[in-house]
Amino acid sequence: MTEKSHNEQLTEFEARVARGDKVEPGDWMPDEYRQNLIRMIGQHAHSEIVGQLPEGKWIPYAPGFRRKLTLVAKVQDEAGHGQLLYRAAETLGKSREEMIDELLAGKAKYSNVFNYPTPTWADVGVIGWLVDTAAVINQSMLAQGSYGPYARAMKRICYEESFHIKQGYDAIVALAKGTPAQRAMAQDAIHRWWYPTLMMSGPPDKASPHTEKAMRWRIKTKTNDQVRQEFVDLIVPQIRALGLDVPDRDCVYDEAAGHYRFTQPDWEELKRVINGDGPMNKERLDVRRRSHEEGRWVREALAAKAKRANAA
Amino acid sequence: MNIPSGLPSEPLLGMIVALGDDELVLGHRNSEWTGFAPILEEDIAFSNIAQDELGHSLAWFSLHEQLTGKTPDWMAFERNWRDFACCRLVAYPKGDFAYTVVRQFFFDAAEQVRMKSFAQSSFDPLRQLSVKILAEEAYHLMHSQGLVERLGDGTEESHRRMQAAAETAFPQSLGLFEDFPAEADLVKAGVVKPSRELQEEWLTEIMRVLTRATLVVPVRKKNGTFEPECSPDLGGRTGRHTDDLRQLVSDLQHVYQLAPGQPW
Amino acid sequence: MSDTQWETYEVFHQSRRGRPHEHVGSVHAPDPEMALQMARDQFARRLDCVSLWVVRSSDIAQTDYQDPNFFSQVFDKSYRDPKAFDAPARTEPAES
């Protein structure tokens, strides 16, 4: 068997991806593809475990048995998703230890939304409903992506996310139908989360230089702007149907285009938040670091015990 | 549903509430680990246990609702903390993971003994519910026991932490076997076995595991059975709680009390 | 000090008796017994499940995607494919 040249390998790789075949661990792949995926899946995993915190804060306070049980199950799923995603990234050659170290050292990025505070119970509902709807639109797209382990993880995650959306929506419906104070709480939360949620899908296409290659390699199959538009078209009528509103007077349906128009978020804010300077970045990482350090003795003791048992 | 006429209804209802409160308060404490466990897999495991305990609490309060008409949400989210009847053990702060694991193990082992004892209860619903709860508790016990054995005999640090946790949690756990109010009536009517007997069975169970885990608690062996050699941390069953419970219930009810009785 | 997230175990899940075990993911665990517990909590908390297998990831031998010859079927092998024969269908066992 003769060694194939880099170009031959690349041609084969791109042909496989273009056919819609999945790339599997152990396949030849361009280094840029591997690095991009490691970064992207790692960020996605970090987002899940940092994302446990804003909602997890409300577990002790959740009103009623059903809400409390549901919230524990939801935040548990986020740990589960982080677990699945770190594993998908590990198949590309980076260990979970390394990825977690990078996160805790402040060297890794994660979704902007989890760096905002959650001052009221309604934030739990809005995160489930709005943030997770935006997430699912993105993730259903990623489930069609070319890298097998990531796409497989996404399939399961999307299934569980649909539970997240429904429980969030259900919590907001209860508030919208409740006392004036409950209703105001829901409206306030939607106002606060609207723009951060729009930012979740990433910078606008014209400022997103890697999109072209990511699309060609089917790391993504839709652009950031497409995903964002899909979210707005889906969520705005849902919000208005509950008699609630989005904080954007220019958000109107454009018959001709078949889409809602909306005001672009402040992209400078997204940059700041992603680069570590959002309202809650420091606190989120501090909390993660603390629980990581407090758990170290447990990880070490169980490893030591197993090592002795193996040696015996 | 009515309580059969031969059974002491007030003590029986009191015990059901106490068992529901134990599960509610421990489930609340366990859920404080969601997002903070030592490793992702354990985060998932402990969140499952938290959901199960909260689910058991809901089951006890649903039985209580059938007998009294008070809803589970009323019991958990509207009742005054002084009327809770949980043992003190479950209300203490979660502490480090060693304390959490040891407390959970002591609780799971007690739950196992108590639920098995309900198989002979003269009150039918106790028999039925205990079978369901046992089905889930068996796994909790497997998990917490596995952690106790491994961490007790893991590293020097893990042993030290687990030993300290065992010393703290042991006298507290004896509170699981504090007599329910008017327990003698319940025993006489064949509803329950005396708590003292359950404690003896429990001690045999936990000593087997603690020995394997190289952990020591203050007991002496007399005529083949273990007896605690420390004073038990009692009071919970009669509403003499620590301030930890007040704080916990205040958190638990915080949002609900913004519009009590409203759908949330 | 460097961290440990333990070894990884591959998890195989059987949804019903009679069905095959399918690979559903992996868990990080200190030993096989804990791996089973963690697999239960991560992969069987919603799915129906009657059996789980775990195996250390490092114990799995696998073929190489980049070896094009391992599975190659260059010459005609239709002689061993039932579809290549015209015999009446009843010679085939009934589908179960």
Side-chain angles (χ1 to χ4, degrees), chain C residues 12-23 50-51 53:
Chain C
F12 300 82
H13 161 274
Q14 187 185 33
S15 60
R16 252 196 268 160
R17 286 166 189 274
R19 295 238 176 118
H21 283 73
E22 279 179 24
H23 183 244
V50 295
S51 166
W53 293 344

Side-chain angles (χ1 to χ4, degrees), chain C residues 4-19:
Chain C
T4 174
Q5 294 275 315
W6 305 331
E7 292 180 287
T8 61
Y9 289 77
E10 299 304 318
V11 180
F12 300 82
H13 161 274
Q14 187 185 33
S15 60
R16 252 196 268 160
R17 286 166 189 274
R19 295 238 176 118

Side-chain angles (χ1 to χ4, degrees), chain B residues 38-42 44-46 48 52 136 139 142-144 146-147 150, chain C residues 4-6 26-31 33-34 36-38 40-42 45:
Chain B
I39 196 163
L40 279 171
E41 280 78 2
E42 197 52 46
I44 299 165
F46 243 85
N48 258 3
D52 287 351
E136 282 188 348
Y139 176 75
M142 182 196 293
H143 192 72
S144 60
L147 286 173
R150 286 168 176 79
Chain C
T4 174
Q5 294 275 315
W6 305 331
S26 333
V27 288
H28 289 239
D31 55 58
E33 197 187 326
M34 294 282 290
L36 279 173
Q37 294 183 18
M38 285 156 165
R40 168 199 184 267
D41 290 330
Q42 169 66 324
R45 71 178 186 274

Side-chain angles (χ1 to χ4, degrees), chain B residues 160-248:
Chain B
R160 179 172 53 70
R161 284 174 180 267
M162 292 295 281
Q163 180 56 43
E167 281 165 27
T168 307
F170 183 73
Q172 298 170 349
S173 298
L174 297 173
L176 285 160
F177 305 102
E178 178 178 0
D179 280 1
F180 297 109
E183 183 173 306
D185 297 344
L186 292 169
V187 172
K188 212 166 93 195
V191 177
V192 299
K193 274 166 82 169
S195 291
R196 209 116 304 261
E197 278 179 36
L198 300 183
Q199 178 175 301
E200 220 175 276
E201 287 176 45
W202 172 78
L203 274 169
T204 310
E205 281 303 307
I206 65 159
M207 287 311 292
R208 196 171 47 81
V209 175
L210 292 179
T211 306
R212 270 213 293 275
T214 70
L215 298 173
V216 187
V217 290
V219 290
R220 70 171 156 221
K221 207 164 186 180
K222 205 173 134 192
N223 305 327
T225 60
F226 292 100
E227 276 180 18
E229 273 197 307
C230 59
S231 59
D233 186 5
L234 305 179
R237 298 294 184 223
T238 54
R240 287 187 297 121
H241 297 293
T242 62
D243 195 55
D244 301 305
L245 183 72
R246 185 194 54 78
Q247 185 58 52
L248 184 150

Side-chain angles (χ1 to χ4, degrees), chain A residues 27-42:
Chain A
D27 267 332
W28 184 91
M29 60 188 85
D31 197 49
E32 198 182 338
Y33 177 86
R34 183 188 300 276
Q35 295 314 326
N36 255 328
L37 270 169
I38 290 178
R39 186 179 45 81
M40 207 167 130
I41 304 174

Side-chain angles (χ1 to χ4, degrees), chain A residues 5-17 28:
Chain A
S5 73
H6 179 272
N7 277 349
E8 283 171 323
Q9 304 256 44
L10 181 63
T11 308
E12 258 180 40
F13 170 85
E14 291 197 331
R16 171 177 302 128
V17 170
W28 184 91

